[in-house]
Amino acid sequence: MSEMWVNMGPQHPMTHGLWNLRVRIEGEVIKDVEPEMGYLHRGIEKISEDRHYNEIITLMDRTCYVAGLAWEQLFIVAAEQALHITPPERAEYIRVLSAEFQRIASHIMWYAAFVQDIGLMTPFLYGMRDRDLILDLFQSYTGGRLTYEYMRVGGVRNDLPLGLTDRCRKVCDWLMDRFVEYDRLCLSSTPFHERCDGLGVLEAPEAIAYGVTGPMLRSAGSRRDLRKDRPYSVYDKLQFDVATATTADVTGRYLVRMEEMRQAVRIIRQCLDWLDDHPGPVMAAQLPRWLGAPYAPVGNEAYLLKRNYPTGVGFSMVEEPHGEAGAYIVNDGGEHPYRVKFRSPVLINIWASKRYLPGYRVADIPPIMGSVDVCVGECDR
Amino acid sequence: MSGQTPLPAKVPPASAGPSAAIADMPLEVIGQPGVPFVEIETLRAREFIPAAKEALTSLLKEQANGKLIRPVFNWAGRNSLFPLHWGLACCAIEFAAAFGARWDAERFGVVPRSSPRQCDLLIVNGTVTWKVAHKLIALYEQMPEPKWAIAMGNCATGGGPFRTAYSVVPGVDKLIPVDVYIAGCPPRPENLLDGILRLEQLIKERGA
Amino acid sequence: MKTNELAARLTSKFGEGILGVDEFPGLLGRVRFDAAIASKLFHTFRDDLGFAHLTMVGAIDWIDHREVFYTLWSDADRVYVMLSANLPSDAPTIASAVPVWPSANAHEREAWDLVGIRFEGHPDLRRIFMPEGYAYHPLLRSFKIHEPEDLEVKVRSE
Ligand code: SF4
């Protein structure tokens, strides 16, 4: 039978965003794939060279729009290193709390979209319902549902409002019950297993060679998690387990993400207890004046204040819901960063599809690519 | 929608039968703007179907040029806008949230479809880059007439935070005609629903 | 492994090819190397030093020259290391890392697209983000970002 190339995207229900998967098929069997990105390239790295450090945080929310707070943390860790600033501990705990809630929200969003892909509609409605509860919490202390602009170089913008920790606990209890429900909906469903088991297998050595990270790598049995291996922020003071699976297929990735959500709840509970017992400032006291809290002076004023500030470099890697995100910031002592470079885990995970897609059928593409958890905003930047 | 609005005085009491309202009207009046089928909205569903059937049959019988059916199409079309299922950027997440459990946009007859051939509404929910511009135009061209477009969010309206970027179209109205602009970065789902209701109002006033 | 240990091992193997090993906050160190030994150095890092993960490849335009940097992760030592090479602005060419780490594929296409670094031996070095036929490398310092109005004027006048 003759072969042909098929375009899946940029407008296709499988893609969940703006990208194009070119597939070479022979009959129903996939022979080769070629992802085509860049439909959402917004030049974030270039714009960042024209912005103040605190203004770049605005862009970070838009870079990965399902995990905005995780990307804010990524940038902040690197920027604080480049600018030689240490945040207070309470701010670090609030950041971890936010990042872990964001992980749950992102995984629930993934769950809603992915399970809809394989034909079950109810989980979408359940998922969106529970995600909105987390967004409500974010809204009550950051003010935004999706784009928060909450973290600042040197701390966070404002402290948690009164009574928020108790509301967080209630949401945590609710979510723990819902996770059981999610599992019941999916794992007891025969169509789910028939569409997911044994698909998109990518074993650990290959995954490492192809740079795959995050739940995709952990579903192959690897215990790699930057929160354990190279603890940033206060993760070294918190207890949690690394979620792994052994099957390296779509079901494995599902199980890893579900377990990660439970572990995130565990981390959140520890953070809440700590935050209740340790009131204090959430912004570094010795902040250089040009960075002023909570709003940075702009334009000439900032430039005049900043002269003679030391140069530096910042490098951070963060375990983001999709995988390992990285940032490299060069501070040349000027008003803006000289260069900002981000590593997007999703771009690399998609690129490895050359390895894990060929051999399967066309109808398997939606579950397999769904299990990657694509967020095009951070791929294309 | 129909249940809550008070009945306007023009509609005869239900006992007279819904069909009477339309059947008694002279056909010349039905085509005039403002008068004709606006009242249909206040009918109950079970009364509506026979009424619509009767009205359509009589209209089709009498009217060769189809001009008078337009109000019916207008009414039906604006209450069942089918947007294209296409997520461009961040705003698409709020677009999805609007179809979730809390906001449930489907109660307004808004059902996203994956094929442009089945759609009459293009919601541009995110940043449009020059690379995707011709694909966006192609999708818009593929949609059957009559069609509308909503620019959702600051990016689609005017470039938003990426206005100065080298790869971003500063406003989707450079590419396709836009009917309703929704401000916000991202707009809340309520904003989106409001935009859709405004579009309905616009269609009602302006015609398809 | 310590930074000076790494420096000793590398200089004993490559001699002149290693231009220096610097301290780098949060990393094992930054290895500055001559672009001529790139391919051999990559093999050494993967096979002998156990850096199996390539996490990032990027490039910086320093106006008078361009810098390519690679960050690697070792599972055994749990450290990152950064390799960096300076390339002349008029011929920014370096050997591709794809034969050693397949994950470099997308990174290198990105560096070519945005900063204009040529990677020799890359299987498919095309633009990744900007459309094919785009004339600029936008992350060069000489490429100025502009208000969209200017762009429109430019497009119209062409
Ligand atoms: S308007 Fe804001 S939220 Fe919407 S796509 Fe643009 S940047 Fe994203």
PDB file of all heavy atoms in Angstrom, chain A residues 34 37 46 49 81 209 224 229-230 315 338-339 341 343 381, chain C residues 25-27 55 59 61 73 78 110 126 128 138-141 143:
ATOM      1  N   GLU A  34       6.408  14.045  12.156  1.00  0.00           N
ATOM      2  CA  GLU A  34       7.235  15.244  12.159  1.00  0.00           C
ATOM      3  C   GLU A  34       6.421  16.375  12.771  1.00  0.00           C
ATOM      4  O   GLU A  34       5.493  16.881  12.149  1.00  0.00           O
ATOM      5  CB  GLU A  34       7.625  15.580  10.729  1.00  0.00           C
ATOM      6  CG  GLU A  34       8.706  16.612  10.656  1.00  0.00           C
ATOM      7  CD  GLU A  34       8.961  17.029   9.226  1.00  0.00           C
ATOM      8  OE1 GLU A  34       9.083  16.137   8.373  1.00  0.00           O
ATOM      9  OE2 GLU A  34       9.000  18.239   8.986  1.00  0.00           O
ATOM     10  N   MET A  37       6.174  23.186  14.876  1.00  0.00           N
ATOM     11  CA  MET A  37       5.790  24.116  15.941  1.00  0.00           C
ATOM     12  C   MET A  37       5.885  25.549  15.438  1.00  0.00           C
ATOM     13  O   MET A  37       6.174  25.794  14.284  1.00  0.00           O
ATOM     14  CB  MET A  37       6.698  23.943  17.155  1.00  0.00           C
ATOM     15  CG  MET A  37       6.929  22.538  17.600  1.00  0.00           C
ATOM     16  SD  MET A  37       5.446  21.687  18.033  1.00  0.00           S
ATOM     17  CE  MET A  37       4.864  22.689  19.367  1.00  0.00           C
ATOM     18  N   LYS A  46      12.622  37.599  23.460  1.00  0.00           N
ATOM     19  CA  LYS A  46      13.037  38.909  22.937  1.00  0.00           C
ATOM     20  C   LYS A  46      12.377  40.048  23.714  1.00  0.00           C
ATOM     21  O   LYS A  46      13.034  41.022  24.072  1.00  0.00           O
ATOM     22  CB  LYS A  46      12.673  38.997  21.454  1.00  0.00           C
ATOM     23  CG  LYS A  46      13.141  40.261  20.776  1.00  0.00           C
ATOM     24  CD  LYS A  46      14.632  40.234  20.544  1.00  0.00           C
ATOM     25  CE  LYS A  46      15.121  41.503  19.879  1.00  0.00           C
ATOM     26  NZ  LYS A  46      16.559  41.471  19.661  1.00  0.00           N
ATOM     27  N   GLU A  49      13.994  40.988  26.985  1.00  0.00           N
ATOM     28  CA  GLU A  49      15.192  41.823  26.972  1.00  0.00           C
ATOM     29  C   GLU A  49      14.833  43.301  27.043  1.00  0.00           C
ATOM     30  O   GLU A  49      15.708  44.142  27.167  1.00  0.00           O
ATOM     31  CB  GLU A  49      16.003  41.548  25.696  1.00  0.00           C
ATOM     32  CG  GLU A  49      16.617  40.169  25.692  1.00  0.00           C
ATOM     33  CD  GLU A  49      17.268  39.832  24.376  1.00  0.00           C
ATOM     34  OE1 GLU A  49      17.394  40.724  23.524  1.00  0.00           O
ATOM     35  OE2 GLU A  49      17.640  38.661  24.199  1.00  0.00           O
ATOM     36  N   GLN A  81      18.840  34.637  41.819  1.00  0.00           N
ATOM     37  CA  GLN A  81      20.249  34.242  41.776  1.00  0.00           C
ATOM     38  C   GLN A  81      21.060  35.258  40.980  1.00  0.00           C
ATOM     39  O   GLN A  81      22.154  35.652  41.396  1.00  0.00           O
ATOM     40  CB  GLN A  81      20.336  32.857  41.144  1.00  0.00           C
ATOM     41  CG  GLN A  81      21.665  32.185  41.347  1.00  0.00           C
ATOM     42  CD  GLN A  81      21.690  30.858  40.643  1.00  0.00           C
ATOM     43  OE1 GLN A  81      20.666  30.243  40.395  1.00  0.00           O
ATOM     44  NE2 GLN A  81      22.865  30.410  40.293  1.00  0.00           N
ATOM     45  N   ALA A 209      17.744   9.627  26.578  1.00  0.00           N
ATOM     46  CA  ALA A 209      18.490  10.071  25.404  1.00  0.00           C
ATOM     47  C   ALA A 209      17.726  11.146  24.655  1.00  0.00           C
ATOM     48  O   ALA A 209      18.317  12.086  24.132  1.00  0.00           O
ATOM     49  CB  ALA A 209      18.766   8.888  24.486  1.00  0.00           C
ATOM     50  N   ARG A 224      13.404  10.110  38.727  1.00  0.00           N
ATOM     51  CA  ARG A 224      13.972  11.448  38.587  1.00  0.00           C
ATOM     52  C   ARG A 224      12.916  12.503  38.862  1.00  0.00           C
ATOM     53  O   ARG A 224      11.885  12.557  38.206  1.00  0.00           O
ATOM     54  CB  ARG A 224      14.496  11.591  37.177  1.00  0.00           C
ATOM     55  CG  ARG A 224      15.059  12.923  36.882  1.00  0.00           C
ATOM     56  CD  ARG A 224      15.994  12.792  35.708  1.00  0.00           C
ATOM     57  NE  ARG A 224      16.199  14.060  35.062  1.00  0.00           N
ATOM     58  CZ  ARG A 224      16.894  15.042  35.601  1.00  0.00           C
ATOM     59  NH1 ARG A 224      17.419  14.886  36.793  1.00  0.00           N
ATOM     60  NH2 ARG A 224      17.053  16.165  34.956  1.00  0.00           N
ATOM     61  N   ASP A 229      15.970  15.546  43.651  1.00  0.00           N
ATOM     62  CA  ASP A 229      17.356  15.403  43.230  1.00  0.00           C
ATOM     63  C   ASP A 229      18.155  16.674  43.406  1.00  0.00           C
ATOM     64  O   ASP A 229      19.357  16.646  43.662  1.00  0.00           O
ATOM     65  CB  ASP A 229      17.401  15.001  41.746  1.00  0.00           C
ATOM     66  CG  ASP A 229      16.893  13.601  41.548  1.00  0.00           C
ATOM     67  OD1 ASP A 229      16.656  12.932  42.560  1.00  0.00           O
ATOM     68  OD2 ASP A 229      16.730  13.177  40.396  1.00  0.00           O
ATOM     69  N   ARG A 230      17.503  17.805  43.211  1.00  0.00           N
ATOM     70  CA  ARG A 230      18.225  19.073  43.299  1.00  0.00           C
ATOM     71  C   ARG A 230      17.266  20.066  43.913  1.00  0.00           C
ATOM     72  O   ARG A 230      16.724  20.926  43.234  1.00  0.00           O
ATOM     73  CB  ARG A 230      18.623  19.506  41.892  1.00  0.00           C
ATOM     74  CG  ARG A 230      19.467  20.756  41.819  1.00  0.00           C
ATOM     75  CD  ARG A 230      19.783  21.044  40.366  1.00  0.00           C
ATOM     76  NE  ARG A 230      20.659  22.184  40.230  1.00  0.00           N
ATOM     77  CZ  ARG A 230      20.225  23.426  40.044  1.00  0.00           C
ATOM     78  NH1 ARG A 230      18.948  23.684  39.986  1.00  0.00           N
ATOM     79  NH2 ARG A 230      21.085  24.422  39.914  1.00  0.00           N
ATOM     80  N   PHE A 315      20.657  30.539  36.996  1.00  0.00           N
ATOM     81  CA  PHE A 315      20.282  29.317  36.301  1.00  0.00           C
ATOM     82  C   PHE A 315      19.359  28.534  37.216  1.00  0.00           C
ATOM     83  O   PHE A 315      19.688  28.312  38.378  1.00  0.00           O
ATOM     84  CB  PHE A 315      21.528  28.490  35.985  1.00  0.00           C
ATOM     85  CG  PHE A 315      21.230  27.134  35.429  1.00  0.00           C
ATOM     86  CD1 PHE A 315      20.884  26.990  34.103  1.00  0.00           C
ATOM     87  CD2 PHE A 315      21.285  26.004  36.234  1.00  0.00           C
ATOM     88  CE1 PHE A 315      20.592  25.741  33.589  1.00  0.00           C
ATOM     89  CE2 PHE A 315      20.997  24.762  35.728  1.00  0.00           C
ATOM     90  CZ  PHE A 315      20.650  24.627  34.405  1.00  0.00           C
ATOM     91  N   TYR A 338      20.094  40.886  30.116  1.00  0.00           N
ATOM     92  CA  TYR A 338      20.721  40.897  28.791  1.00  0.00           C
ATOM     93  C   TYR A 338      20.159  39.789  27.923  1.00  0.00           C
ATOM     94  O   TYR A 338      19.905  39.971  26.745  1.00  0.00           O
ATOM     95  CB  TYR A 338      22.236  40.727  28.928  1.00  0.00           C
ATOM     96  CG  TYR A 338      22.976  40.868  27.620  1.00  0.00           C
ATOM     97  CD1 TYR A 338      23.284  42.126  27.131  1.00  0.00           C
ATOM     98  CD2 TYR A 338      23.342  39.759  26.872  1.00  0.00           C
ATOM     99  CE1 TYR A 338      23.936  42.272  25.930  1.00  0.00           C
ATOM    100  CE2 TYR A 338      23.994  39.890  25.667  1.00  0.00           C
ATOM    101  CZ  TYR A 338      24.286  41.154  25.204  1.00  0.00           C
ATOM    102  OH  TYR A 338      24.923  41.305  24.006  1.00  0.00           O
ATOM    103  N   ARG A 339      19.979  38.626  28.522  1.00  0.00           N
ATOM    104  CA  ARG A 339      19.447  37.506  27.759  1.00  0.00           C
ATOM    105  C   ARG A 339      18.677  36.627  28.718  1.00  0.00           C
ATOM    106  O   ARG A 339      19.122  36.377  29.838  1.00  0.00           O
ATOM    107  CB  ARG A 339      20.586  36.708  27.118  1.00  0.00           C
ATOM    108  CG  ARG A 339      20.165  35.415  26.454  1.00  0.00           C
ATOM    109  CD  ARG A 339      19.696  35.654  25.045  1.00  0.00           C
ATOM    110  NE  ARG A 339      19.702  34.409  24.253  1.00  0.00           N
ATOM    111  CZ  ARG A 339      18.632  33.618  24.114  1.00  0.00           C
ATOM    112  NH1 ARG A 339      17.522  33.907  24.714  1.00  0.00           N
ATOM    113  NH2 ARG A 339      18.695  32.533  23.360  1.00  0.00           N
ATOM    114  N   LYS A 341      16.840  32.840  28.639  1.00  0.00           N
ATOM    115  CA  LYS A 341      16.606  31.643  27.827  1.00  0.00           C
ATOM    116  C   LYS A 341      15.802  30.666  28.656  1.00  0.00           C
ATOM    117  O   LYS A 341      16.109  30.439  29.826  1.00  0.00           O
ATOM    118  CB  LYS A 341      17.960  31.050  27.415  1.00  0.00           C
ATOM    119  CG  LYS A 341      17.933  29.605  27.048  1.00  0.00           C
ATOM    120  CD  LYS A 341      17.589  29.382  25.602  1.00  0.00           C
ATOM    121  CE  LYS A 341      17.501  27.889  25.315  1.00  0.00           C
ATOM    122  NZ  LYS A 341      16.372  27.511  24.508  1.00  0.00           N
ATOM    123  N   ARG A 343      13.933  26.776  28.964  1.00  0.00           N
ATOM    124  CA  ARG A 343      13.818  25.430  28.429  1.00  0.00           C
ATOM    125  C   ARG A 343      12.392  24.981  28.632  1.00  0.00           C
ATOM    126  O   ARG A 343      11.869  25.031  29.739  1.00  0.00           O
ATOM    127  CB  ARG A 343      14.730  24.470  29.170  1.00  0.00           C
ATOM    128  CG  ARG A 343      14.512  23.051  28.752  1.00  0.00           C
ATOM    129  CD  ARG A 343      15.049  22.068  29.737  1.00  0.00           C
ATOM    130  NE  ARG A 343      15.284  20.792  29.062  1.00  0.00           N
ATOM    131  CZ  ARG A 343      14.415  19.783  29.104  1.00  0.00           C
ATOM    132  NH1 ARG A 343      13.308  19.893  29.779  1.00  0.00           N
ATOM    133  NH2 ARG A 343      14.678  18.649  28.476  1.00  0.00           N
ATOM    134  N   ARG A 381       6.893  29.677  23.098  1.00  0.00           N
ATOM    135  CA  ARG A 381       7.316  30.864  23.846  1.00  0.00           C
ATOM    136  C   ARG A 381       7.097  32.151  23.073  1.00  0.00           C
ATOM    137  O   ARG A 381       7.580  32.435  22.087  1.00  0.00           O
ATOM    138  CB  ARG A 381       8.769  30.751  24.280  1.00  0.00           C
ATOM    139  CG  ARG A 381       8.860  30.001  25.574  1.00  0.00           C
ATOM    140  CD  ARG A 381      10.205  29.391  25.743  1.00  0.00           C
ATOM    141  NE  ARG A 381      10.341  28.229  24.914  1.00  0.00           N
ATOM    142  CZ  ARG A 381      11.468  27.841  24.351  1.00  0.00           C
ATOM    143  NH1 ARG A 381      12.547  28.530  24.498  1.00  0.00           N
ATOM    144  NH2 ARG A 381      11.519  26.763  23.626  1.00  0.00           N
TER     145      ARG A 381
ATOM    146  N   PRO C  25      27.354  29.683  40.021  1.00  0.00           N
ATOM    147  CA  PRO C  25      26.444  29.468  41.149  1.00  0.00           C
ATOM    148  C   PRO C  25      25.415  28.373  40.853  1.00  0.00           C
ATOM    149  O   PRO C  25      24.726  28.424  39.840  1.00  0.00           O
ATOM    150  CB  PRO C  25      25.765  30.829  41.322  1.00  0.00           C
ATOM    151  CG  PRO C  25      25.978  31.536  40.032  1.00  0.00           C
ATOM    152  CD  PRO C  25      27.261  31.048  39.489  1.00  0.00           C
ATOM    153  N   GLY C  26      25.355  27.381  41.725  1.00  0.00           N
ATOM    154  CA  GLY C  26      24.355  26.331  41.587  1.00  0.00           C
ATOM    155  C   GLY C  26      24.741  25.221  40.640  1.00  0.00           C
ATOM    156  O   GLY C  26      24.005  24.261  40.499  1.00  0.00           O
ATOM    157  N   LEU C  27      25.875  25.357  39.970  1.00  0.00           N
ATOM    158  CA  LEU C  27      26.287  24.336  39.018  1.00  0.00           C
ATOM    159  C   LEU C  27      27.651  23.798  39.416  1.00  0.00           C
ATOM    160  O   LEU C  27      28.360  24.396  40.225  1.00  0.00           O
ATOM    161  CB  LEU C  27      26.384  24.919  37.604  1.00  0.00           C
ATOM    162  CG  LEU C  27      25.150  24.869  36.724  1.00  0.00           C
ATOM    163  CD1 LEU C  27      24.084  25.777  37.256  1.00  0.00           C
ATOM    164  CD2 LEU C  27      25.499  25.249  35.316  1.00  0.00           C
ATOM    165  N   THR C  55      20.016  19.016  28.925  1.00  0.00           N
ATOM    166  CA  THR C  55      18.763  19.687  29.249  1.00  0.00           C
ATOM    167  C   THR C  55      18.539  20.942  28.437  1.00  0.00           C
ATOM    168  O   THR C  55      17.407  21.293  28.184  1.00  0.00           O
ATOM    169  CB  THR C  55      18.689  20.047  30.740  1.00  0.00           C
ATOM    170  OG1 THR C  55      19.855  20.765  31.076  1.00  0.00           O
ATOM    171  CG2 THR C  55      18.593  18.825  31.587  1.00  0.00           C
ATOM    172  N   ALA C  59      21.874  30.002  22.890  1.00  0.00           N
ATOM    173  CA  ALA C  59      22.929  30.853  22.359  1.00  0.00           C
ATOM    174  C   ALA C  59      22.672  32.287  22.778  1.00  0.00           C
ATOM    175  O   ALA C  59      21.540  32.693  22.987  1.00  0.00           O
ATOM    176  CB  ALA C  59      22.974  30.745  20.847  1.00  0.00           C
ATOM    177  N   ASP C  61      23.912  36.353  21.898  1.00  0.00           N
ATOM    178  CA  ASP C  61      24.631  37.238  20.998  1.00  0.00           C
ATOM    179  C   ASP C  61      25.336  38.301  21.821  1.00  0.00           C
ATOM    180  O   ASP C  61      24.692  39.131  22.457  1.00  0.00           O
ATOM    181  CB  ASP C  61      23.637  37.872  20.023  1.00  0.00           C
ATOM    182  CG  ASP C  61      24.343  38.816  19.085  1.00  0.00           C
ATOM    183  OD1 ASP C  61      25.546  38.604  18.863  1.00  0.00           O
ATOM    184  OD2 ASP C  61      23.696  39.752  18.587  1.00  0.00           O
ATOM    185  N   TRP C  73      23.185  17.165  32.781  1.00  0.00           N
ATOM    186  CA  TRP C  73      22.861  16.677  34.116  1.00  0.00           C
ATOM    187  C   TRP C  73      23.407  15.269  34.262  1.00  0.00           C
ATOM    188  O   TRP C  73      23.288  14.449  33.352  1.00  0.00           O
ATOM    189  CB  TRP C  73      21.356  16.689  34.317  1.00  0.00           C
ATOM    190  CG  TRP C  73      20.865  15.917  35.501  1.00  0.00           C
ATOM    191  CD1 TRP C  73      20.396  14.636  35.491  1.00  0.00           C
ATOM    192  CD2 TRP C  73      20.772  16.368  36.843  1.00  0.00           C
ATOM    193  NE1 TRP C  73      20.018  14.264  36.750  1.00  0.00           N
ATOM    194  CE2 TRP C  73      20.230  15.306  37.607  1.00  0.00           C
ATOM    195  CE3 TRP C  73      21.086  17.560  37.487  1.00  0.00           C
ATOM    196  CZ2 TRP C  73      19.999  15.406  38.968  1.00  0.00           C
ATOM    197  CZ3 TRP C  73      20.857  17.652  38.852  1.00  0.00           C
ATOM    198  CH2 TRP C  73      20.320  16.586  39.579  1.00  0.00           C
ATOM    199  N   ARG C  78      24.347  14.025  40.545  1.00  0.00           N
ATOM    200  CA  ARG C  78      23.250  14.966  40.797  1.00  0.00           C
ATOM    201  C   ARG C  78      23.712  16.411  40.691  1.00  0.00           C
ATOM    202  O   ARG C  78      23.531  17.208  41.607  1.00  0.00           O
ATOM    203  CB  ARG C  78      22.625  14.720  42.168  1.00  0.00           C
ATOM    204  CG  ARG C  78      22.211  13.288  42.332  1.00  0.00           C
ATOM    205  CD  ARG C  78      21.035  13.162  43.225  1.00  0.00           C
ATOM    206  NE  ARG C  78      20.455  11.841  43.041  1.00  0.00           N
ATOM    207  CZ  ARG C  78      19.459  11.384  43.749  1.00  0.00           C
ATOM    208  NH1 ARG C  78      18.923  12.125  44.672  1.00  0.00           N
ATOM    209  NH2 ARG C  78      18.974  10.196  43.512  1.00  0.00           N
ATOM    210  N   GLU C 110      16.189  25.525  17.338  1.00  0.00           N
ATOM    211  CA  GLU C 110      15.764  26.789  17.933  1.00  0.00           C
ATOM    212  C   GLU C 110      16.911  27.798  17.934  1.00  0.00           C
ATOM    213  O   GLU C 110      16.723  28.977  17.606  1.00  0.00           O
ATOM    214  CB  GLU C 110      15.287  26.517  19.357  1.00  0.00           C
ATOM    215  CG  GLU C 110      14.663  27.714  20.027  1.00  0.00           C
ATOM    216  CD  GLU C 110      14.383  27.450  21.486  1.00  0.00           C
ATOM    217  OE1 GLU C 110      14.021  26.310  21.822  1.00  0.00           O
ATOM    218  OE2 GLU C 110      14.543  28.385  22.275  1.00  0.00           O
ATOM    219  N   ARG C 126      16.488  23.317  10.096  1.00  0.00           N
ATOM    220  CA  ARG C 126      15.572  24.299   9.511  1.00  0.00           C
ATOM    221  C   ARG C 126      15.079  25.191  10.619  1.00  0.00           C
ATOM    222  O   ARG C 126      15.274  24.915  11.790  1.00  0.00           O
ATOM    223  CB  ARG C 126      14.380  23.574   8.858  1.00  0.00           C
ATOM    224  CG  ARG C 126      14.688  22.955   7.530  1.00  0.00           C
ATOM    225  CD  ARG C 126      13.455  22.291   6.972  1.00  0.00           C
ATOM    226  NE  ARG C 126      12.998  21.201   7.834  1.00  0.00           N
ATOM    227  CZ  ARG C 126      11.730  21.052   8.224  1.00  0.00           C
ATOM    228  NH1 ARG C 126      10.816  21.900   7.849  1.00  0.00           N
ATOM    229  NH2 ARG C 126      11.390  20.033   8.988  1.00  0.00           N
ATOM    230  N   ILE C 128      12.524  26.558  13.255  1.00  0.00           N
ATOM    231  CA  ILE C 128      11.539  25.785  14.014  1.00  0.00           C
ATOM    232  C   ILE C 128      10.327  26.640  14.353  1.00  0.00           C
ATOM    233  O   ILE C 128       9.193  26.181  14.269  1.00  0.00           O
ATOM    234  CB  ILE C 128      12.191  25.185  15.271  1.00  0.00           C
ATOM    235  CG1 ILE C 128      11.222  24.289  16.027  1.00  0.00           C
ATOM    236  CG2 ILE C 128      12.718  26.238  16.198  1.00  0.00           C
ATOM    237  CD1 ILE C 128      11.875  23.508  17.124  1.00  0.00           C
ATOM    238  N   PRO C 138      15.804  36.661  15.044  1.00  0.00           N
ATOM    239  CA  PRO C 138      15.273  37.750  15.882  1.00  0.00           C
ATOM    240  C   PRO C 138      15.974  37.959  17.214  1.00  0.00           C
ATOM    241  O   PRO C 138      15.858  39.040  17.774  1.00  0.00           O
ATOM    242  CB  PRO C 138      13.811  37.356  16.098  1.00  0.00           C
ATOM    243  CG  PRO C 138      13.632  36.018  15.536  1.00  0.00           C
ATOM    244  CD  PRO C 138      14.814  35.639  14.742  1.00  0.00           C
ATOM    245  N   LEU C 139      16.682  36.982  17.745  1.00  0.00           N
ATOM    246  CA  LEU C 139      17.291  37.239  19.048  1.00  0.00           C
ATOM    247  C   LEU C 139      18.677  37.868  18.957  1.00  0.00           C
ATOM    248  O   LEU C 139      19.346  38.008  19.976  1.00  0.00           O
ATOM    249  CB  LEU C 139      17.317  35.974  19.906  1.00  0.00           C
ATOM    250  CG  LEU C 139      16.256  36.093  21.007  1.00  0.00           C
ATOM    251  CD1 LEU C 139      14.881  35.844  20.478  1.00  0.00           C
ATOM    252  CD2 LEU C 139      16.551  35.220  22.169  1.00  0.00           C
ATOM    253  N   LEU C 140      19.093  38.256  17.765  1.00  0.00           N
ATOM    254  CA  LEU C 140      20.329  39.024  17.653  1.00  0.00           C
ATOM    255  C   LEU C 140      20.090  40.428  18.201  1.00  0.00           C
ATOM    256  O   LEU C 140      18.997  40.968  18.070  1.00  0.00           O
ATOM    257  CB  LEU C 140      20.760  39.095  16.190  1.00  0.00           C
ATOM    258  CG  LEU C 140      21.162  37.763  15.569  1.00  0.00           C
ATOM    259  CD1 LEU C 140      21.594  37.965  14.137  1.00  0.00           C
ATOM    260  CD2 LEU C 140      22.270  37.116  16.361  1.00  0.00           C
ATOM    261  N   ARG C 141      21.142  41.003  18.792  1.00  0.00           N
ATOM    262  CA  ARG C 141      20.953  42.336  19.373  1.00  0.00           C
ATOM    263  C   ARG C 141      20.674  43.374  18.295  1.00  0.00           C
ATOM    264  O   ARG C 141      20.092  44.422  18.563  1.00  0.00           O
ATOM    265  CB  ARG C 141      22.197  42.755  20.161  1.00  0.00           C
ATOM    266  CG  ARG C 141      22.528  41.869  21.321  1.00  0.00           C
ATOM    267  CD  ARG C 141      21.428  41.768  22.328  1.00  0.00           C
ATOM    268  NE  ARG C 141      21.317  42.920  23.192  1.00  0.00           N
ATOM    269  CZ  ARG C 141      20.624  42.918  24.320  1.00  0.00           C
ATOM    270  NH1 ARG C 141      20.009  41.814  24.716  1.00  0.00           N
ATOM    271  NH2 ARG C 141      20.526  43.984  25.047  1.00  0.00           N
ATOM    272  N   PHE C 143      18.697  43.114  15.905  1.00  0.00           N
ATOM    273  CA  PHE C 143      17.281  43.072  15.512  1.00  0.00           C
ATOM    274  C   PHE C 143      16.490  43.829  16.562  1.00  0.00           C
ATOM    275  O   PHE C 143      16.371  43.408  17.698  1.00  0.00           O
ATOM    276  CB  PHE C 143      16.826  41.616  15.432  1.00  0.00           C
ATOM    277  CG  PHE C 143      15.402  41.427  14.987  1.00  0.00           C
ATOM    278  CD1 PHE C 143      15.082  41.265  13.660  1.00  0.00           C
ATOM    279  CD2 PHE C 143      14.365  41.407  15.914  1.00  0.00           C
ATOM    280  CE1 PHE C 143      13.778  41.089  13.253  1.00  0.00           C
ATOM    281  CE2 PHE C 143      13.058  41.230  15.521  1.00  0.00           C
ATOM    282  CZ  PHE C 143      12.765  41.064  14.180  1.00  0.00           C
TER     283      PHE C 143
END
